[in-house]
Amino acid sequence: MELKPHNVPFHFNLRVVQRDVLPFELGGNRQPENPTDTPNPPKPQSKPPIVSTDWSAMWSAVADVGACETTNWQSADLHHDLLMTWVDVAPISGCLKMGGGDVFDLWRVFTGVSGRVAGLHHCWQKEIVFAPRVELCASSVYRASVHYAACATARQSYAPHLTACAANQQPMAVLLANCFTDKSESLHLSGCLKTSMGRSVQPPCEYYPIPIEPTPPTRNNRCKTPDSNRIPFHFSKRRTEYHAARIPFPFSCTTAEAQVPSLDGYMILNEISANLADGTPLILLSLNIRSDMSGYCWQADLTVAPDSFAKIHFRQPEQSVISVFLNEERFDFLAEDFSDNRQFGTRSYTITGRSITAHLGAAYAPQGAGLVDADLYARQIADSQLKFTGFTIGDWTIVDWLVPKNVYSLTDKTPIAVLQDITQTAGGFVCSHPYLPRLDMKPRWKMAAWELGGAAPDVQVPSSAIISISGQLQQNQRANAVGVIASHHAGKAANVHRRGLAQTPRLGDLSHALYTEYSVCAAAGVAALSDSGVHKTETVKLPLMPKYGLNRAELGTIWRFDEPSISWRGVITSVQISVEMRDDVPVIYQTLGVNRYMDD
């Protein structure tokens, strides 16, 4: 029937109603209070739809949720199927606010019956059976139901408490906040906050064991057939005298080591010269050139006469470069400093300089700043430091590994400092070319120190070619294991140890930002363990005689020295070349620093 605005069919009374029955007559016809009254026969109506479970629900065997540990529950149908007709239903606001056409506000309403939905404001705390307790809910949206906003309190029995929910959107169920484990026969309960999960990744800084495997023995495999247009013979224009019993053709797959012939005497004719970059000749009185693994360039002390000294312009890139030729091998140096030597009737000047790779150091190059902001390999980081400098990297025989972005800092580091940091992290050193703008990155130990006894040497020197040998023993405790750990969460951690031996004693852990792959961890561990134990630093003085195959030594190579009573192997760690004038004849020697491993 149609309601008039002045006749709202609400019947207020104080009758006690059952707790599980809503005191609203949600129909168009009112039932008579007196059974004797004859009501009008009801008009046939279509069966209204069943109220969804969003209005109320039965919860059975539900325990209180405290700290959201474990919840077992199942949802059930409505306790009563209420038949109602909805007309102009509006979202409920406030606590239970309903809006519709021709609706009066009800204040402090306990019971009421309406054919239309009324707006409820400032409703007091209600005790409703089988309803969940909702606290501090900002916004919750339920499908096919009403919108609840700023709910104060609603109590229920045998239902969990929901607290601190920010925003939930669920069609048929509610969410529990901060839950760890939820079990349900209908919908699973999850936290109020949405959690995104990506693919699983390996945990950072895993302590990964890396046993050092022994170097496999060299096998004499059959050589492959060479190309028809090339003969695998190493011909040289430089004349070398060999023993009559030896044919200097390397009939093997790899180049044989250089063997200096053992002779009763050696005929040596040295040639030296020096000039400036523009070709102006200089007269050398003496020369000393040196390099070692701890540096990155060649250093020189040149003694010249006053006339030659007057031709040198210090700190001028175009005119301060001095080129020195020792038996056709060239060395270039920057004239950086000098001192004078005055004796009775004579005067000379000693010029101090470094190879041209000094341009990458603190005296010439600017310092960097910031972090490496991209995932790059160590070789790529090194190449980026040499961009626009004119220098290049020649041999890269150390390991190469990936460095994640934003873990390695370039702040306050010159280009050569970055290159040294990268190389030393991998157990290597930076080696400068004698005159070209080129750098080589080589390992300090081509193999583990305890394997040098059976290694194939790069050069074999007989006792007849050795002028003098002196040594100093260094006794340190041999370590069998070392930890290599990155200094950030994006790196790796490894336990590098010698296979077959106890992992004690141990070295102190190595830590660096560049330990981001297991390959560099293994290389750093091998170098550190090789440095431990008993070593002997040998100082070997040899002539420089390319005529007999005894060339200038290269850092990091393995040399074998055959003394009259013993033969031993070692790694070249320093080279010093000295030139003296004897009766106007130049005499050239090279003095080698050799690291000899004496432990097991």
Side-chain angles (χ1 to χ4, degrees):
M1 65 179 176
E2 182 177 1
L3 300 179
K4 296 182 180 181
H6 63 277
N7 187 14
V8 179
F10 289 167
H11 299 273
F12 299 95
N13 56 67
L14 299 177
R15 286 185 301 172
V16 178
V17 296
Q18 297 180 5
R19 295 174 59 88
D20 55 353
V21 177
L22 295 178
F24 295 127
E25 296 182 9
L26 304 178
N29 296 322
R30 176 170 170 258
Q31 298 294 333
E33 295 182 1
N34 191 348
T36 61
D37 296 341
T38 302
N40 296 328
K43 295 180 181 181
Q45 297 180 355
S46 61
K47 186 178 181 179
I50 299 176
V51 179
S52 69
T53 58
D54 292 318
W55 179 264
S56 63
M58 172 184 288
W59 299 71
S60 62
V62 180
D64 293 337
V65 178
C68 295
E69 294 178 354
T70 305
T71 305
N72 294 277
W73 64 280
Q74 70 179 47
S75 61
D77 296 333
L78 289 177
H79 188 67
H80 291 281
D81 294 335
L82 301 181
L83 305 180
M84 61 181 66
T85 302
W86 297 86
V87 180
D88 297 331
V89 180
I92 296 179
S93 60
C95 182
L96 290 174
K97 181 180 179 181
M98 304 180 186
D102 300 328
V103 178
F104 291 90
D105 293 342
L106 300 183
W107 294 78
R108 299 177 179 83
V109 177
F110 294 94
T111 60
V113 179
S114 174
R116 294 170 180 255
V117 179
L120 305 182
H121 294 278
H122 304 288
C123 292
W124 291 351
Q125 175 173 313
K126 308 289 291 183
E127 293 188 359
I128 304 175
V129 181
F130 307 116
R133 175 173 176 172
V134 182
E135 294 181 359
L136 302 178
C137 292
S139 175
S140 301
V141 180
Y142 295 82
R143 182 182 301 171
S145 181
V146 293
H147 181 77
Y148 290 78
C151 295
T153 303
R155 294 183 180 177
Q156 72 145 33
S157 60
Y158 305 106
H161 295 173
L162 308 182
T163 59
C165 296
N168 301 317
Q169 295 186 357
Q170 185 79 359
M172 298 290 291
V174 294
L175 304 179
L176 299 183
N178 302 325
C179 292
F180 295 102
T181 304
D182 299 301
K183 296 181 180 179
S184 170
E185 295 182 5
S186 58
L187 296 177
H188 291 286
L189 303 180
S190 59
C192 291
L193 300 179
K194 182 180 179 181
T195 302
S196 299
M197 181 67 67
R199 65 181 182 87
S200 61
V201 297
Q202 187 177 13
C205 288
E206 179 184 357
Y207 197 68
Y208 188 80
I210 301 179
I212 302 175
E213 301 289 347
T215 303
T218 304
R219 298 182 179 180
N220 295 323
N221 297 326
R222 182 179 178 182
C223 300
K224 65 178 183 178
T225 305
D227 297 336
S228 59
N229 60 345
R230 50 188 304 269
I231 302 176
F233 293 156
H234 300 279
F235 294 103
S236 174
K237 67 178 182 179
R238 193 175 300 164
R239 184 171 178 268
T240 302
E241 294 183 3
Y242 291 94
H243 193 272
R246 296 186 57 213
I247 301 177
F249 290 158
F251 293 98
S252 64
C253 297
T254 58
T255 303
E257 67 272 12
Q259 294 184 354
V260 180
S262 179
L263 304 176
D264 295 334
Y266 301 92
M267 298 296 296
I268 304 173
L269 178 61
N270 293 316
E271 297 179 359
I272 64 171
S273 61
N275 57 261
L276 297 176
D278 58 359
T280 302
L282 301 175
I283 300 176
L284 290 178
L285 302 181
S286 66
L287 175 64
N288 187 286
I289 303 173
R290 58 193 177 276
S291 180
D292 55 52
M293 288 185 176
S294 62
Y296 61 89
C297 57
W298 289 88
Q299 302 181 48
D301 297 328
L302 303 88
T303 302
V304 297
D307 293 342
S308 298
F309 177 77
K311 302 175 183 178
I312 301 174
H313 302 272
F314 289 88
R315 296 284 180 173
Q316 297 184 14
E318 298 298 331
Q319 300 180 3
S320 63
V321 178
I322 301 176
S323 299
V324 178
F325 296 88
L326 303 178
N327 295 328
E328 300 182 359
E329 185 174 14
R330 176 180 172 181
F331 296 84
D332 282 1
F333 301 98
L334 300 174
E336 297 179 301
D337 204 351
F338 72 93
S339 61
D340 57 344
N341 310 300
R342 298 184 296 273
Q343 295 181 359
F344 180 76
T346 61
R347 186 171 185 172
S348 62
Y349 294 86
T350 299
I351 302 171
T352 302
R354 295 178 294 173
S355 58
I356 59 176
T357 48
H359 283 300
L360 301 175
Y364 301 93
Q367 296 179 346
L371 300 172
V372 178
D373 57 358
D375 295 343
L376 298 176
Y377 279 86
R379 173 65 186 268
Q380 292 176 308
I381 298 176
D383 286 334
S384 66
Q385 295 300 301
L386 301 180
K387 192 175 182 179
F388 307 121
T389 63
F391 287 81
T392 59
I393 296 177
D395 295 334
W396 182 285
T397 52
I398 62 174
V399 297
D400 194 8
W401 69 100
L402 183 64
V403 180
K405 62 181 179 181
N406 298 329
V407 300
Y408 183 64
S409 175
L410 304 175
T411 303
D412 299 332
K413 295 178 182 178
T414 59
I416 196 61
V418 175
L419 268 61
Q420 281 189 302
D421 195 21
I422 293 173
T423 309
Q424 292 172 1
T425 300
F429 67 97
V430 178
C431 181
S432 173
H433 193 275
Y435 68 92
L436 292 178
R438 195 185 79 179
L439 297 166
D440 299 329
M441 279 62 176
K442 300 180 179 180
R444 291 190 293 109
W445 297 92
K446 296 176 65 175
M447 59 183 61
W450 51 88
E451 297 180 351
L452 286 178
D458 297 307
V459 179
Q460 183 175 343
V461 181
S463 59
S464 59
I466 299 174
I467 297 176
S468 64
I469 296 181
S470 60
Q472 182 178 1
L473 191 66
Q474 299 174 352
Q475 298 214 25
N476 298 314
Q477 187 180 35
R478 189 193 71 188
N480 296 330
V482 61
V484 185
I485 305 173
S487 59
H488 50 82
H489 69 280
K492 303 293 183 182
N495 177 37
V496 184
H497 62 90
R498 293 180 61 173
R499 179 178 290 276
L501 298 177
Q503 298 189 23
T504 56
R506 299 179 59 88
L507 291 175
D509 291 343
L510 306 178
S511 180
H512 199 282
L514 290 175
Y515 292 143
T516 57
E517 292 290 344
Y518 291 125
S519 59
V520 66
C521 293
V526 170
L529 296 178
S530 298
D531 292 337
S532 68
V534 180
H535 292 254
K536 189 177 182 181
T537 302
E538 303 280 7
T539 303
V540 183
K541 188 175 182 180
L542 304 171
L544 187 64
M545 45 184 189
K547 178 180 179 180
Y548 298 98
L550 187 56
N551 298 307
R552 188 255 307 168
E554 295 185 3
L555 298 176
T557 54
I558 301 174
W559 282 40
R560 172 181 169 180
F561 299 91
D562 296 330
E563 297 190 60
S565 59
I566 190 175
S567 295
W568 53 273
R569 293 169 176 81
V571 177
I572 305 300
T573 60
S574 64
V575 178
Q576 179 176 340
I577 302 175
S578 59
V579 179
E580 300 178 0
M581 302 299 294
R582 297 180 182 176
D583 298 331
D584 295 333
V585 176
V587 179
I588 305 176
Y589 296 104
Q590 61 174 338
T591 302
L592 310 181
V594 186
N595 191 344
R596 180 181 175 185
Y597 186 73
M598 304 287 291
D599 217 320
D600 296 333

